[in-house]
Amino acid sequence: MKMVFDCREEQLDVELISLCINLAANKSSAQIICEGNGLKMLMKRALKLKDVLVMKMIRNLSQHGGATKNLFLDHVGDLAAQISEEEAEEFVIECLGTLANLTIPDLDWELVLKEYNLVPYLKDRLKPGSAEDDLILEVVILIGTVSMDDSCAAMLAKSGIIPALIDLLNAQQEDDEFVCQILYVFYQMVFHKATRDVIIKDTQAPAYFIDLMHDSNAAIRQVCDNTLDIIAEYDEEWGKKIQTAKFCFYNSQWLEMVENRQLDEAAEPFLYGDDGEYLNRNEDVLERPDLFYTAGIESN
């Protein structure tokens, strides 16, 4: 690390900084790197030279909990100041990712968002095609982090970010990472009354969660399941819909078996109508619920 701190050249050796980036991903190494003025010196170099690789290293450092993450409280303002259209996207991506890692209870996110006027930037970047997908994804992840705070979640809801997230969800529905991170934002928001009411009453987000409850991605299914549980607890109407949807989902094989059995029992006695015309098993029988009920009574 001394080689990094002492280097007076603008461009660090690629092999050296690559090694440091990997070391920063290890918790024990990160603690050693940040001790003393380590983090302060790295931040100074990254911001002065707009060094993407050094900022990538800092981002790795920020993912570790405890004392290491708390050291970033002194640098939140410096990082937030970089979130603008004037900065290079690659550099902004690393700054956004670093901020998103800062799940620190003592961090006043509402003050940060207001002081650096970040809400308009975040909302604009949610528009599909407004930037590279990597940057948009980091914006979504940061929104998820700040939405843990009640006042921040309310402020974001008032700004119109919730409909923007739904539009983005529609645009990126084939990308599992995008879908999962957007759903996670809603998961954070339903914990707060102000944003929960908007999500439940003013959007079709709960319906999206019900649809995605069947997704092949386990992480998406899990976040949907958890979010639906919270929505069901606070809204009776959606609670009934969610209960029915979950019952059908978890008992789909049994329901299919019962339906097929009823179809077989109902159709055979009525294969021919009174006029001798053949009844179509796939159409006429399914459109004749009385056949199912009749068969059910006879089978008893």
Side-chain angles (χ1 to χ4, degrees):
M1 285 305 303
K2 189 175 185 301
M3 295 173 65
V4 174
F5 296 146
D6 292 345
C7 182
R8 298 181 180 278
E9 298 178 10
E10 289 196 8
Q11 191 68 40
L12 287 168
D13 181 78
V14 175
E15 292 182 354
L16 173 61
I17 189 60
S18 297
L19 174 61
C20 291
I21 290 171
N22 289 333
L23 287 173
N26 177 272
K27 185 174 183 178
S28 298
S29 299
Q31 291 174 341
I32 296 172
I33 293 170
C34 291
E35 65 184 12
N37 289 324
L39 178 60
K40 182 178 180 180
M41 294 174 70
L42 285 172
M43 285 291 303
K44 184 177 180 180
R45 179 181 182 89
L47 296 177
K48 180 180 179 181
L49 302 176
K50 307 297 181 183
D51 194 317
V52 175
L53 293 179
V54 174
M55 187 54 70
K56 192 180 292 289
M57 177 184 173
I58 292 170
R59 179 178 177 178
N60 278 355
L61 293 171
S62 69
Q63 69 184 327
H64 305 293
T68 300
K69 186 169 289 189
N70 287 330
L71 291 173
F72 280 84
L73 283 171
D74 293 334
H75 304 287
V76 172
D78 293 329
L79 290 164
Q82 310 307 310
I83 312 303
S84 69
E85 297 180 11
E86 286 71 33
E87 298 293 345
E89 282 196 359
E90 287 187 349
F91 190 72
V92 173
I93 286 172
E94 300 306 326
C95 293
L96 285 167
T98 303
L99 287 170
N101 282 337
L102 303 185
T103 50
I104 306 172
D106 294 335
L107 179 49
D108 188 342
W109 276 115
E110 183 183 16
L111 179 63
V112 174
L113 294 181
K114 287 181 176 178
E115 186 170 344
Y116 294 93
N117 195 32
L118 292 183
V119 174
Y121 177 92
L122 297 177
K123 183 181 176 182
D124 288 344
R125 286 298 170 271
L126 289 177
K127 297 175 183 176
S130 64
E132 294 294 328
D133 280 357
D134 287 347
L135 190 148
I136 298 175
L137 182 59
E138 293 302 332
V139 166
V140 172
I141 296 172
L142 177 58
I143 292 172
T145 296
V146 303
S147 293
M148 295 179 187
D149 180 85
D150 184 77
S151 55
C152 274
M155 183 167 61
L156 292 174
K158 290 178 182 177
S159 74
I161 270 181
I162 292 175
L165 284 167
I166 291 176
D167 289 342
L168 183 62
L169 180 62
N170 284 323
Q172 297 287 357
Q173 58 186 300
E174 300 301 323
D175 189 314
D176 281 1
E177 182 64 17
F178 259 104
V179 171
C180 195
Q181 293 298 343
I182 293 170
L183 295 180
Y184 180 74
V185 173
F186 288 128
Y187 170 70
Q188 291 295 343
M189 286 186 168
V190 294
F191 281 103
H192 314 297
K193 186 180 185 306
T195 43
R196 182 169 60 244
D197 288 346
V198 173
I199 290 169
I200 293 174
K201 297 176 181 178
D202 300 338
T203 76
Q204 286 299 309
Y208 280 96
F209 279 96
I210 290 174
D211 288 341
L212 291 168
M213 191 171 64
H214 310 272
D215 198 88
S216 59
N217 186 296
I220 291 175
R221 292 199 306 271
Q222 184 65 53
V223 71
C224 283
D225 195 52
N226 293 340
T227 308
L228 288 170
D229 284 344
I230 299 170
I231 292 173
E233 183 180 346
Y234 287 98
D235 189 274
E236 184 178 355
E237 183 179 348
W238 273 111
K240 292 177 181 178
K241 293 178 182 178
I242 291 166
Q243 185 179 28
T244 302
K246 284 194 173 189
F247 177 82
C248 293
F249 175 63
Y250 291 117
N251 297 281
S252 57
Q253 289 183 325
W254 179 79
L255 290 171
E256 184 178 357
M257 181 188 71
V258 170
E259 183 179 331
N260 289 336
R261 181 178 177 181
Q262 288 179 333
L263 180 60
D264 291 340
E265 292 177 351
E268 292 302 334
F270 299 95
L271 285 176
Y272 292 89
D274 294 337
D275 56 0
E277 183 179 353
Y278 179 74
L279 294 177
N280 186 304
R281 182 189 296 264
N282 294 323
E283 295 179 6
D284 300 299
V285 175
L286 291 176
E287 293 175 2
R288 292 273 302 278
D290 57 300
L291 300 184
F292 293 98
Y293 293 121
T294 302
I297 294 170
E298 291 178 353
S299 65
N300 292 329

